Amino acid sequence: MTRRIGKYPDEVRERTVRLVLDHREEYDSEWAAITSIAQKSGMTPETLRLWVRQVETDSGRRPGVTSAERERIRQLERDNRELRRANEILKAAAAFFGAELDRRLKR
């Protein structure tokens, strides 16, 4: 899985998420676990919460778009933009050459 370059290395991300998943029963709530582990790891609780939610989604424990699906959607949108640009170029070329043919036929 490719990830955008961020502030935290993948190892830190994986370790802190694993800590939350392994130790959340030891806290009053999941948020308490996330807050505590985030403070100890030097990040905001919201960052860690989002990472935990994405891992839960990727593993099928939570509904939503997985990281693989999200990457596939991005690739398809990129391909779609490229095809639209190519289509516009072809339309412009067809109009240009069509007008050129009309001028030749009128002579």
Side-chain angles (χ1 to χ4, degrees), residues 43-106:
M43 64 187 61
T44 66
E46 184 61 14
T47 297
L48 183 53
R49 186 189 70 80
L50 291 173
W51 292 349
V52 170
R53 293 296 178 262
Q54 191 60 55
V55 167
E56 290 173 338
T57 301
D58 290 348
S59 66
R61 288 182 276 179
R62 180 176 286 274
V65 179
T66 65
S67 297
E69 291 169 334
R70 182 167 313 198
E71 183 58 36
R72 180 71 177 138
I73 290 168
R74 281 189 196 121
Q75 182 61 45
L76 290 171
E77 287 172 344
R78 204 173 305 131
D79 292 348
N80 197 349
R81 279 191 303 274
E82 186 178 323
L83 289 170
R84 286 181 191 275
R85 271 182 289 209
N87 199 14
E88 289 302 317
I89 291 169
L90 290 172
K91 283 181 184 178
F96 174 79
F97 289 116
E100 183 67 27
L101 286 174
D102 283 346
R103 276 186 245 136
R104 285 185 184 172
L105 292 176
K106 289 182 181 177

Side-chain angles (χ1 to χ4, degrees), residues 20 27 29-41 43-46 48:
V20 170
Y27 294 87
S29 66
E30 184 181 51
W31 179 248
I34 289 171
T35 302
S36 174
I37 293 168
Q39 284 178 335
K40 293 172 186 171
S41 301
M43 64 187 61
T44 66
E46 184 61 14
L48 183 53

